[in-house]
Amino acid sequence: MTSRRLPLLGILTPLLVAATICAAPDANPLESSERAAGEWIKTRLETARIEGEWRSTRPLLESTVSGLKDRADLIEEKRDHLKAKTAKDRADIEELEGKNKAASEDLKATQDRLEALSKKLVEVRPMLPPRLSEALELSYRSIANPGLGAGDRMQLVMTMLNRCALFEHTVTCGEEVLTIEGETGARSLDVIYWGLGRAYALDKVAGKAWYGSPGPKGWQWQPSPDAVGPVSTLVAIYNDKANPDFVAVPAMLSQPMAEAGSK
C-alpha cells in the first residue's frame, strides 16, 4: 500500500504547487511555495499516520482472516463427517419415500377396484334373492356413501361378498312376505332358496307355487302349478316334518345372473 501511495503523492505535490502558482500569478512566489510546502507536509504526515495505523492493525486482520479460514475448514470437515455419517439414513429415507410412493399407487389402484366392485354390487342387487337383498339393505346404504374410507369400504364389500357366497352354498327356507306380479297384494309364503340362482314359493292355502330366478330385469317369480306337491314336500323335509327323500322339482338351467356378472 505504501509503495502505491507515495508515487501518487510525489506526482500530486508538484501539481498542487503548479496549480497554486497558476491560480495566483500576481502573488508572492515565496509565499505560494511556503503554502504548497505546508500542504505537502500535512499530506505526508497524514500518509505516515495511515501507514502507521495499517502496520499496527495488519497483524490483527491477518490473524482474524487466518482464524476465519481455520473455522471454515473445521466447518467443512464437520459437514463432510455428517454427510458420511448420515449417508445410510438418507439412503433409507429415499428407499422409504420410494416405498411410500409405490404404496400410494397401490392404494389408489385398490380404491379404484373397490369403487368398481361397489358399483357392480349395486348393479346386481335386483338379481339377488329378495331375502338376501333385504338382509343387505344396510350394507348397500353404506357403500353408497362417497365419503366412506378405503378400509371401511373394503371390509364392507368383503362382508357382502361373503354373505352372497354363504347364501350360494346354503339352502334357506322360511316364511316371507312377497308381492308377486299377477297376484293381488302382498302375501305370506313359504319360500325355499337353492343358492343364488333359484327358489320356490308356496301358498299352501291357495295351492299355488312359483319358481323364482334372476331375470333380465331382476329377480322374477313365474307360476309353476306342477311344483305345488314337490315344493310342499321340500318345505316339510326342511322343517323336519317329513323324512329325507329325493324330490324332483322343476328348474331352469340358464344362469342370467352369472352371465350378467361376467360382462
Coordinates of all heavy atoms in Angstrom, one line a residue, residues 41-114:
I41 N 3.5 18.9 3.5 CA 3.9 18.3 4.8 C 2.7 17.7 5.5 O 2.7 16.6 6.1 CB 4.5 19.4 5.7 CG1 5.9 19.8 5.1 CG2 4.7 18.9 7.1 CD1 6.5 21.0 5.8
K42 N 1.5 18.4 5.5 CA 0.3 17.9 6.1 C -0.1 16.5 5.4 O -0.4 15.6 6.1 CB -0.8 18.8 5.9 CG -0.6 20.1 6.8 CD -1.8 21.0 6.6 CE -1.7 22.3 7.4 NZ -2.8 23.2 7.2
T43 N 0.0 16.5 4.1 CA -0.3 15.3 3.4 C 0.6 14.2 3.7 O 0.2 13.0 3.9 CB -0.3 15.6 1.8 OG1 -1.2 16.6 1.5 CG2 -0.7 14.3 1.1
R44 N 1.9 14.5 3.8 CA 2.9 13.5 4.2 C 2.6 13.0 5.6 O 2.7 11.8 5.8 CB 4.3 14.1 4.0 CG 5.4 13.0 4.2 CD 5.3 12.0 3.1 NE 6.3 11.0 3.3 CZ 6.1 9.8 3.9 NH1 4.9 9.7 4.5 NH2 7.0 8.9 4.1
L45 N 2.3 13.8 6.5 CA 2.0 13.4 7.9 C 0.8 12.5 8.0 O 0.8 11.5 8.7 CB 1.9 14.7 8.8 CG 3.1 15.5 9.0 CD1 2.8 16.8 9.8 CD2 4.2 14.7 9.8
E46 N -0.2 12.9 7.2 CA -1.5 12.1 7.2 C -1.2 10.7 6.6 O -1.7 9.7 7.1 CB -2.6 12.8 6.4 CG -3.9 12.1 6.3 CD -4.5 12.0 7.7 OE1 -4.2 12.7 8.6 OE2 -5.5 11.1 7.8
T47 N -0.3 10.7 5.5 CA 0.0 9.4 4.9 C 0.8 8.6 5.9 O 0.6 7.4 6.0 CB 0.9 9.7 3.7 OG1 0.1 10.5 2.8 CG2 1.3 8.4 3.0
A48 N 1.7 9.2 6.6 CA 2.5 8.5 7.6 C 1.6 7.9 8.7 O 1.8 6.8 9.2 CB 3.6 9.4 8.2
R49 N 0.6 8.7 9.1 CA -0.3 8.2 10.2 C -1.1 7.0 9.7 O -1.3 6.0 10.4 CB -1.3 9.4 10.6 CG -2.2 9.0 11.7 CD -3.2 10.1 12.0 NE -4.1 10.3 10.9 CZ -5.2 9.5 10.7 NH1 -5.4 8.5 11.5 NH2 -5.9 9.7 9.6
I50 N -1.6 7.1 8.5 CA -2.4 6.0 7.9 C -1.5 4.8 7.8 O -2.0 3.6 8.1 CB -3.0 6.4 6.6 CG1 -4.0 7.5 6.8 CG2 -3.6 5.2 5.9 CD1 -4.6 8.1 5.5
E51 N -0.3 5.0 7.3 CA 0.6 3.8 7.2 C 0.9 3.2 8.6 O 1.0 2.0 8.7 CB 1.9 4.3 6.5 CG 1.7 4.6 5.1 CD 3.0 5.1 4.4 OE1 4.0 5.4 5.2 OE2 3.1 5.3 3.2
G52 N 1.0 4.0 9.6 CA 1.3 3.5 10.9 C 0.1 2.7 11.4 O 0.3 1.6 12.0
E53 N -1.1 3.3 11.2 CA -2.3 2.5 11.7 C -2.4 1.2 10.9 O -2.8 0.2 11.5 CB -3.6 3.4 11.4 CG -3.7 4.6 12.3 CD -4.9 5.4 12.1 OE1 -5.6 5.0 11.1 OE2 -5.2 6.3 12.8
W54 N -2.1 1.2 9.6 CA -2.2 -0.1 8.9 C -1.2 -1.1 9.4 O -1.5 -2.3 9.5 CB -1.9 0.2 7.4 CG -1.6 -1.0 6.6 CD1 -0.5 -1.3 6.0 CD2 -2.5 -2.1 6.3 NE1 -0.5 -2.5 5.3 CE2 -1.8 -3.0 5.5 CE3 -3.8 -2.4 6.7 CZ2 -2.3 -4.2 5.1 CZ3 -4.3 -3.6 6.3 CH2 -3.6 -4.5 5.5
R55 N 0.1 -0.6 9.7 CA 1.1 -1.5 10.2 C 0.7 -2.1 11.6 O 0.9 -3.3 11.9 CB 2.4 -0.8 10.3 CG 3.1 -0.6 9.0 CD 4.6 -0.2 9.2 NE 4.7 1.1 9.9 CZ 4.7 2.2 9.2 NH1 4.7 2.2 7.9 NH2 4.8 3.4 9.9
S56 N -0.1 -1.3 12.4 CA -0.5 -1.8 13.7 C -1.7 -2.7 13.6 O -1.8 -3.6 14.4 CB -0.8 -0.6 14.6 OG -1.9 0.1 14.1
T57 N -2.6 -2.5 12.7 CA -3.8 -3.3 12.6 C -3.6 -4.5 11.6 O -4.4 -5.4 11.7 CB -5.0 -2.5 12.1 OG1 -4.6 -1.9 10.8 CG2 -5.3 -1.4 13.1
R58 N -2.6 -4.5 10.8 CA -2.4 -5.6 9.8 C -2.3 -6.9 10.5 O -3.0 -7.9 10.1 CB -1.2 -5.3 8.9 CG -1.0 -6.4 7.9 CD 0.1 -6.0 7.0 NE 0.4 -7.0 6.0 CZ 1.3 -6.9 5.1 NH1 2.1 -5.8 5.0 NH2 1.5 -7.9 4.2
P59 N -1.5 -7.1 11.6 CA -1.4 -8.4 12.2 C -2.7 -8.9 12.7 O -3.0 -10.1 12.6 CB -0.4 -8.2 13.3 CG 0.4 -7.0 12.9 CD -0.5 -6.1 12.2
L60 N -3.5 -8.0 13.3 CA -4.8 -8.4 13.8 C -5.7 -8.9 12.7 O -6.4 -9.9 12.8 CB -5.4 -7.2 14.6 CG -6.8 -7.5 15.2 CD1 -6.8 -8.6 16.2 CD2 -7.4 -6.2 15.8
L61 N -5.7 -8.1 11.6 CA -6.6 -8.5 10.5 C -6.1 -9.8 9.9 O -6.9 -10.7 9.6 CB -6.5 -7.4 9.4 CG -7.2 -6.1 9.8 CD1 -7.0 -5.0 8.7 CD2 -8.7 -6.3 10.1
E62 N -4.8 -10.0 9.8 CA -4.3 -11.3 9.2 C -4.6 -12.4 10.1 O -5.0 -13.5 9.7 CB -2.8 -11.2 9.0 CG -2.4 -10.2 7.9 CD -0.9 -10.1 7.7 OE1 -0.2 -10.6 8.7 OE2 -0.4 -9.6 6.7
S63 N -4.6 -12.2 11.5 CA -4.9 -13.2 12.4 C -6.4 -13.6 12.3 O -6.8 -14.7 12.4 CB -4.6 -12.7 13.8 OG -5.0 -13.7 14.8
T64 N -7.2 -12.5 12.2 CA -8.7 -12.7 12.0 C -9.0 -13.5 10.8 O -9.8 -14.5 10.8 CB -9.4 -11.4 12.0 OG1 -9.1 -10.6 13.2 CG2 -10.9 -11.6 11.9
V65 N -8.4 -13.2 9.7 CA -8.6 -13.9 8.4 C -8.1 -15.3 8.6 O -8.8 -16.3 8.1 CB -7.8 -13.2 7.3 CG1 -7.9 -14.1 6.0 CG2 -8.4 -11.9 7.0
S66 N -7.0 -15.5 9.2 CA -6.5 -16.9 9.4 C -7.4 -17.7 10.3 O -7.7 -18.9 10.0 CB -5.1 -16.9 10.1 OG -4.6 -18.2 10.3
G67 N -8.0 -17.0 11.4 CA -8.9 -17.7 12.2 C -10.2 -18.1 11.5 O -10.8 -19.2 11.7
L68 N -10.7 -17.2 10.7 CA -11.9 -17.5 9.9 C -11.7 -18.6 8.9 O -12.6 -19.4 8.7 CB -12.4 -16.2 9.2 CG -12.9 -15.1 10.0 CD1 -13.2 -13.8 9.2 CD2 -14.2 -15.5 10.8
K69 N -10.5 -18.6 8.3 CA -10.2 -19.7 7.4 C -10.1 -21.1 8.1 O -10.7 -22.1 7.6 CB -8.9 -19.4 6.7 CG -8.5 -20.5 5.7 CD -7.2 -20.1 5.0 CE -6.8 -21.2 4.0 NZ -5.5 -20.9 3.3
D70 N -9.5 -21.1 9.3 CA -9.4 -22.3 10.1 C -10.8 -22.8 10.5 O -11.2 -24.0 10.5 CB -8.6 -22.1 11.3 CG -7.1 -21.9 11.0 OD1 -6.7 -22.2 9.9 OD2 -6.4 -21.3 11.8
R71 N -11.7 -21.8 10.9 CA -13.0 -22.1 11.3 C -13.8 -22.7 10.1 O -14.6 -23.6 10.2 CB -13.7 -20.9 11.8 CG -15.1 -21.1 12.4 CD -15.7 -19.9 12.9 NE -17.0 -20.1 13.4 CZ -17.8 -19.1 13.9 NH1 -17.4 -17.9 14.0 NH2 -19.1 -19.4 14.4
A72 N -13.6 -22.1 8.9 CA -14.3 -22.6 7.7 C -13.9 -24.0 7.4 O -14.7 -24.8 7.0 CB -14.0 -21.6 6.5
D73 N -12.6 -24.2 7.5 CA -12.1 -25.6 7.3 C -12.7 -26.6 8.2 O -13.0 -27.7 7.9 CB -10.5 -25.6 7.4 CG -9.8 -24.8 6.3 OD1 -10.5 -24.6 5.2 OD2 -8.7 -24.4 6.4
L74 N -12.8 -26.2 9.5 CA -13.4 -27.1 10.5 C -14.8 -27.3 10.2 O -15.3 -28.5 10.3 CB -13.3 -26.4 11.9 CG -13.8 -27.2 13.1 CD1 -13.1 -28.6 13.2 CD2 -13.7 -26.4 14.4
I75 N -15.6 -26.3 9.8 CA -17.0 -26.5 9.4 C -17.1 -27.4 8.2 O -18.0 -28.3 8.2 CB -17.6 -25.1 9.2 CG1 -17.7 -24.3 10.5 CG2 -19.0 -25.3 8.6 CD1 -18.2 -22.9 10.3
E76 N -16.2 -27.3 7.3 CA -16.3 -28.2 6.1 C -16.0 -29.6 6.5 O -16.6 -30.6 6.0 CB -15.3 -27.7 5.1 CG -15.7 -26.4 4.3 CD -14.6 -26.0 3.3 OE1 -13.6 -26.7 3.2 OE2 -14.9 -25.0 2.6
E77 N -15.1 -29.8 7.4 CA -14.8 -31.2 7.9 C -16.0 -31.8 8.6 O -16.3 -32.9 8.4 CB -13.6 -31.1 8.9 CG -12.2 -30.8 8.2 CD -11.1 -30.8 9.2 OE1 -11.3 -31.0 10.4 OE2 -9.9 -30.5 8.7
K78 N -16.7 -30.9 9.5 CA -17.9 -31.4 10.2 C -19.0 -31.8 9.1 O -19.7 -32.7 9.3 CB -18.3 -30.4 11.1 CG -17.5 -30.2 12.3 CD -18.1 -29.1 13.3 CE -17.2 -29.0 14.5 NZ -17.8 -28.0 15.5
R79 N -19.1 -30.9 8.1 CA -20.1 -31.2 7.1 C -19.8 -32.5 6.4 O -20.7 -33.3 6.2 CB -20.1 -30.0 6.1 CG -21.1 -30.2 4.9 CD -20.7 -29.3 3.8 NE -19.4 -29.8 3.2 CZ -18.7 -29.1 2.3 NH1 -19.1 -27.9 1.9 NH2 -17.5 -29.5 1.9
D80 N -18.6 -32.7 6.0 CA -18.2 -34.0 5.3 C -18.4 -35.2 6.2 O -18.9 -36.2 5.8 CB -16.7 -33.9 4.9 CG -16.5 -32.8 3.8 OD1 -17.5 -32.4 3.2 OD2 -15.3 -32.4 3.7
H81 N -18.1 -35.0 7.5 CA -18.3 -36.0 8.5 C -19.8 -36.4 8.7 O -20.2 -37.5 8.7 CB -17.7 -35.6 9.9 CG -18.0 -36.7 10.9 ND1 -17.4 -37.9 11.0 CD2 -18.8 -36.6 12.0 CE1 -17.8 -38.6 12.0 NE2 -18.6 -37.8 12.7
L82 N -20.6 -35.3 8.7 CA -22.1 -35.5 8.8 C -22.7 -36.2 7.6 O -23.6 -37.0 7.7 CB -22.8 -34.2 9.1 CG -22.6 -33.6 10.5 CD1 -23.2 -32.2 10.6 CD2 -23.2 -34.5 11.6
K83 N -22.2 -35.8 6.4 CA -22.6 -36.4 5.2 C -22.3 -37.9 5.2 O -23.2 -38.7 4.8 CB -21.9 -35.7 4.0 CG -22.6 -34.4 3.6 CD -21.9 -33.9 2.3 CE -22.6 -32.7 1.8 NZ -22.0 -32.2 0.5
A84 N -21.1 -38.2 5.6 CA -20.7 -39.7 5.6 C -21.5 -40.4 6.7 O -21.9 -41.6 6.5 CB -19.2 -39.8 5.9
K85 N -21.8 -39.7 7.8 CA -22.5 -40.4 8.9 C -24.0 -40.6 8.6 O -24.6 -41.6 9.0 CB -22.4 -39.5 10.2 CG -23.0 -40.2 11.4 CD -22.7 -39.3 12.7 CE -23.3 -40.0 13.9 NZ -23.1 -39.1 15.1
T86 N -24.6 -39.6 7.9 CA -26.0 -39.7 7.5 C -26.3 -40.3 6.2 O -27.4 -40.3 5.7 CB -26.6 -38.3 7.6 OG1 -25.9 -37.4 6.7 CG2 -26.5 -37.8 9.0
A87 N -25.2 -40.8 5.5 CA -25.4 -41.3 4.1 C -26.4 -42.5 4.2 O -27.3 -42.6 3.3 CB -24.1 -41.8 3.6
K88 N -26.3 -43.4 5.1 CA -27.2 -44.6 5.2 C -28.6 -44.1 5.6 O -29.6 -44.6 5.0 CB -26.7 -45.5 6.3 CG -27.5 -46.8 6.3 CD -27.0 -47.8 7.4 CE -27.8 -49.1 7.4 NZ -29.2 -48.9 7.6
D89 N -28.7 -43.1 6.5 CA -30.0 -42.6 6.8 C -30.7 -42.0 5.6 O -31.9 -42.2 5.4 CB -29.9 -41.6 8.0 CG -29.4 -42.2 9.3 OD1 -29.6 -43.5 9.4 OD2 -28.8 -41.5 10.1
R90 N -29.9 -41.2 4.9 CA -30.5 -40.6 3.7 C -30.9 -41.6 2.6 O -32.0 -41.5 2.0 CB -29.5 -39.6 3.1 CG -29.5 -38.3 3.9 CD -28.6 -37.2 3.3 NE -27.2 -37.5 3.5 CZ -26.3 -37.9 2.6 NH1 -26.7 -38.0 1.3 NH2 -25.0 -38.1 2.8
A91 N -30.1 -42.7 2.5 CA -30.5 -43.8 1.6 C -31.7 -44.5 2.1 O -32.6 -44.8 1.3 CB -29.3 -44.7 1.5
D92 N -31.8 -44.7 3.4 CA -33.0 -45.3 3.9 C -34.3 -44.4 3.7 O -35.4 -44.9 3.4 CB -32.9 -45.6 5.4 CG -31.8 -46.6 5.7 OD1 -31.5 -47.4 4.8 OD2 -31.3 -46.7 6.9
I93 N -34.1 -43.1 3.9 CA -35.2 -42.2 3.7 C -35.7 -42.2 2.2 O -36.9 -42.3 1.9 CB -34.8 -40.8 4.1 CG1 -34.6 -40.7 5.6 CG2 -35.8 -39.8 3.6 CD1 -34.1 -39.4 6.1
E94 N -34.7 -42.3 1.3 CA -35.0 -42.3 -0.1 C -35.8 -43.6 -0.5 O -36.7 -43.7 -1.2 CB -33.8 -42.2 -1.0 CG -33.1 -40.8 -1.0 CD -31.9 -40.7 -1.8 OE1 -31.5 -41.8 -2.4 OE2 -31.3 -39.7 -1.9
E95 N -35.3 -44.7 0.2 CA -36.0 -46.0 0.0 C -37.4 -46.0 0.5 O -38.3 -46.5 -0.1 CB -35.2 -47.1 0.6 CG -35.7 -48.5 0.4 CD -34.9 -49.6 1.1 OE1 -33.9 -49.3 1.7 OE2 -35.3 -50.8 1.0
L96 N -37.6 -45.4 1.7 CA -38.9 -45.3 2.3 C -39.8 -44.4 1.4 O -41.0 -44.7 1.3 CB -38.8 -44.7 3.7 CG -38.2 -45.7 4.8 CD1 -38.1 -44.9 6.1 CD2 -39.1 -46.9 4.9
E97 N -39.3 -43.3 0.9 CA -40.0 -42.5 0.0 C -40.5 -43.3 -1.2 O -41.6 -43.1 -1.7 CB -39.2 -41.3 -0.4 CG -39.0 -40.3 0.7 CD -38.2 -39.1 0.3 OE1 -37.6 -39.2 -0.8 OE2 -38.1 -38.1 1.1
G98 N -39.6 -44.1 -1.8 CA -40.0 -44.9 -2.9 C -41.1 -45.9 -2.5 O -42.0 -46.1 -3.3
K99 N -40.9 -46.5 -1.3 CA -42.0 -47.5 -0.9 C -43.3 -46.8 -0.7 O -44.4 -47.3 -1.0 CB -41.5 -48.2 0.4 CG -40.3 -49.2 0.1 CD -40.0 -49.9 1.4 CE -38.8 -50.9 1.2 NZ -38.4 -51.5 2.5
N100 N -43.2 -45.6 -0.1 CA -44.4 -44.8 0.2 C -45.1 -44.5 -1.1 O -46.4 -44.5 -1.3 CB -44.1 -43.6 0.9 CG -43.8 -43.8 2.4 OD1 -44.2 -44.9 2.9 ND2 -43.1 -42.9 3.0
K101 N -44.4 -44.1 -2.2 CA -44.9 -43.8 -3.4 C -45.6 -45.0 -4.1 O -46.7 -44.9 -4.6 CB -43.8 -43.2 -4.4 CG -44.4 -42.8 -5.7 CD -43.2 -42.2 -6.6 CE -43.8 -41.8 -8.0 NZ -42.7 -41.3 -8.8
A102 N -44.9 -46.1 -4.0 CA -45.5 -47.4 -4.5 C -46.7 -47.8 -3.8 O -47.7 -48.2 -4.4 CB -44.4 -48.5 -4.5
A103 N -46.7 -47.6 -2.4 CA -47.9 -47.9 -1.6 C -49.0 -47.0 -2.0 O -50.2 -47.5 -2.0 CB -47.5 -47.8 -0.1
S104 N -48.7 -45.7 -2.2 CA -49.8 -44.8 -2.6 C -50.4 -45.2 -3.9 O -51.6 -45.1 -4.1 CB -49.2 -43.4 -2.6 OG -48.7 -42.9 -1.4
E105 N -49.6 -45.6 -4.8 CA -50.1 -46.0 -6.1 C -51.0 -47.3 -6.0 O -52.0 -47.4 -6.6 CB -49.0 -46.2 -7.1 CG -48.2 -45.0 -7.5 CD -47.0 -45.2 -8.3 OE1 -46.7 -46.4 -8.5 OE2 -46.4 -44.3 -8.8
D106 N -50.5 -48.2 -5.2 CA -51.2 -49.4 -4.9 C -52.6 -49.1 -4.2 O -53.6 -49.7 -4.6 CB -50.4 -50.4 -4.1 CG -49.2 -51.0 -4.8 OD1 -49.2 -50.9 -6.0 OD2 -48.3 -51.5 -4.1
L107 N -52.5 -48.2 -3.3 CA -53.8 -47.8 -2.6 C -54.8 -47.2 -3.5 O -56.0 -47.5 -3.5 CB -53.4 -46.8 -1.4 CG -54.6 -46.3 -0.6 CD1 -55.3 -47.5 0.0 CD2 -54.1 -45.4 0.5
K108 N -54.2 -46.3 -4.4 CA -55.1 -45.7 -5.4 C -55.7 -46.8 -6.3 O -57.0 -46.7 -6.6 CB -54.3 -44.7 -6.3 CG -55.1 -44.0 -7.4 CD -56.2 -43.1 -6.8 CE -56.8 -42.2 -7.8 NZ -57.4 -42.9 -8.9
A109 N -54.9 -47.7 -6.8 CA -55.5 -48.8 -7.6 C -56.5 -49.6 -6.9 O -57.5 -50.0 -7.4 CB -54.3 -49.7 -8.1
T110 N -56.2 -49.9 -5.6 CA -57.2 -50.7 -4.8 C -58.5 -49.9 -4.6 O -59.6 -50.5 -4.7 CB -56.5 -51.0 -3.4 OG1 -55.3 -51.7 -3.5 CG2 -57.5 -51.8 -2.5
Q111 N -58.4 -48.6 -4.4 CA -59.6 -47.8 -4.2 C -60.4 -47.8 -5.5 O -61.6 -47.9 -5.5 CB -59.2 -46.4 -3.8 CG -58.7 -46.2 -2.4 CD -58.2 -44.8 -2.1 OE1 -57.9 -44.0 -3.0 NE2 -58.2 -44.5 -0.9
D112 N -59.7 -47.7 -6.6 CA -60.4 -47.8 -7.9 C -61.1 -49.1 -8.1 O -62.3 -49.2 -8.6 CB -59.4 -47.6 -9.1 CG -58.9 -46.1 -9.1 OD1 -59.5 -45.3 -8.4 OD2 -57.8 -45.9 -9.7
R113 N -60.4 -50.2 -7.7 CA -61.1 -51.5 -7.8 C -62.3 -51.7 -6.9 O -63.3 -52.3 -7.2 CB -60.0 -52.6 -7.6 CG -59.0 -52.8 -8.7 CD -58.3 -54.1 -8.5 NE -57.4 -54.1 -7.3 CZ -56.2 -53.7 -7.3 NH1 -55.6 -53.3 -8.4 NH2 -55.5 -53.8 -6.2
L114 N -62.1 -51.1 -5.7 CA -63.2 -51.1 -4.7 C -64.4 -50.4 -5.2 O -65.6 -50.8 -5.1 CB -62.8 -50.6 -3.4 CG -61.9 -51.5 -2.5 CD1 -61.4 -50.7 -1.3 CD2 -62.7 -52.7 -2.1

